[in-house]
Amino acid sequence: MRSFSRKPFSQACENNKQAILAILRRRFHGLSKILEIGSGTGQHAVFFAGGMPALFWQTSDQMIYHPGINAWIDSVNLINIGRPVELDVTQKDHWPDIAHTNQTGRQSGFDGVFSANTAHIMPWTAVIDMFEGIGRLLQENGCFLLYGPFNREGEFTSRSNARFHQSLINQDRAMGIRDDRAVCKLAAENALDIIDDVAMPANNRILVFRRIPD
């Protein structure tokens, strides 16, 4: 049944989607099944799935966001995008279900994972849970791309990022821009090796990790 919910809209998604897609096309070339963690409004999902028709894009998020994601999926005619599945990264019982879901009837894992603007809005304990889950979920030599603002070696990369960080912790002291060294250390602890660090518009970056073979 088609959803007729109003589509949520994020201007930030519109601003950065072209630049992100260019990196995704290069890093996800030749892959087949991508999991997006934190699909949010659903804007990125339909844009990236439309721009990479050779792969399957699986959306996921907490249940509260599913109506908006479904509304965006309903607005396009794409066969390579999956309806959102429930994923709260802190809930360990969600990860096994995700690992066997791609909404095509096939039971297999994912060779790519993407997440945008999530690490700075979740508590650090949740970031730990996310990396642990991805380390278990991602196929060997698969790629995980994490987009957002990051500090470089403990320092803000711009005044605007420093202001943004302050605004985040004013809302919730558990939020905040993460340090790239801490993120890469966490990745290494979960069999994920940093292979690229791509500068993006508006003082954002994409950290690219590869799943190390067992």
Side-chain angles (χ1 to χ4, degrees):
M1 181 179 295
R2 290 177 63 84
S3 166
F4 294 94
S5 301
R6 178 176 297 179
K7 294 186 296 183
F9 180 82
S10 166
Q11 186 60 49
C13 287
E14 293 300 303
N15 294 345
N16 61 32
K17 64 182 184 181
Q18 291 283 0
I20 296 175
L21 179 60
I23 306 302
L24 297 186
R25 280 175 168 161
R26 179 160 60 90
R27 286 298 179 180
F28 287 160
H29 178 72
L31 304 187
S32 59
K33 296 180 290 294
I34 310 300
L35 171 67
E36 180 182 21
I37 296 176
S39 297
T41 65
Q43 286 168 259
H44 273 169
V46 298
F47 183 74
F48 298 150
M52 296 179 288
L55 55 74
F56 186 86
W57 192 272
Q58 178 60 58
T59 60
S60 76
D61 213 318
Q62 298 179 47
M63 291 295 293
I64 191 173
Y65 299 105
H66 287 200
I69 297 168
N70 278 318
W72 275 95
I73 292 175
D74 287 341
S75 72
V76 295
N77 184 25
L78 295 173
I79 62 173
N80 66 322
I81 188 169
R83 298 279 176 183
V85 291
E86 184 178 11
L87 179 58
D88 178 336
V89 299
T90 67
Q91 300 301 307
K92 296 188 185 302
D93 60 327
H94 287 182
W95 288 99
D97 293 336
I98 288 285
H100 297 289
T101 301
N102 65 14
Q103 305 250 329
T104 65
R106 298 190 299 273
Q107 292 201 348
S108 58
F110 293 86
D111 49 11
V113 176
F114 171 74
S115 192
N117 292 322
T118 51
H120 59 273
I121 63 171
M122 61 174 70
W124 180 248
T125 53
V127 179
I128 293 173
D129 290 335
M130 179 171 69
F131 271 86
E132 289 179 349
I134 293 168
R136 295 190 301 267
L137 169 87
L138 193 58
Q139 294 178 1
E140 289 186 357
N141 295 311
C143 282
F144 169 41
L145 275 63
L146 182 61
Y147 171 90
F150 299 95
N151 287 348
R152 188 180 299 280
E153 298 184 349
E155 300 292 336
F156 293 109
T157 59
S158 67
R159 290 182 179 178
S160 61
N161 276 6
R163 291 193 296 269
F164 180 50
H165 175 79
Q166 187 61 51
S167 72
L168 288 171
I169 63 174
N170 285 345
Q171 297 175 60
D172 186 336
R173 296 198 65 83
M175 298 196 297
I177 295 178
R178 308 305 176 187
D179 182 60
D180 56 3
R181 295 173 301 183
V183 172
C184 291
K185 181 177 183 293
L186 179 58
E189 292 169 353
N190 291 282
L192 295 163
D193 185 32
I194 182 77
I195 60 172
D196 203 0
D197 179 350
V198 185
M200 301 296 288
N203 301 305
N204 289 304
R205 293 153 68 185
I206 291 182
L207 304 182
V208 183
F209 303 93
R210 179 180 63 88
R211 176 62 166 82
I212 302 168
D214 294 327

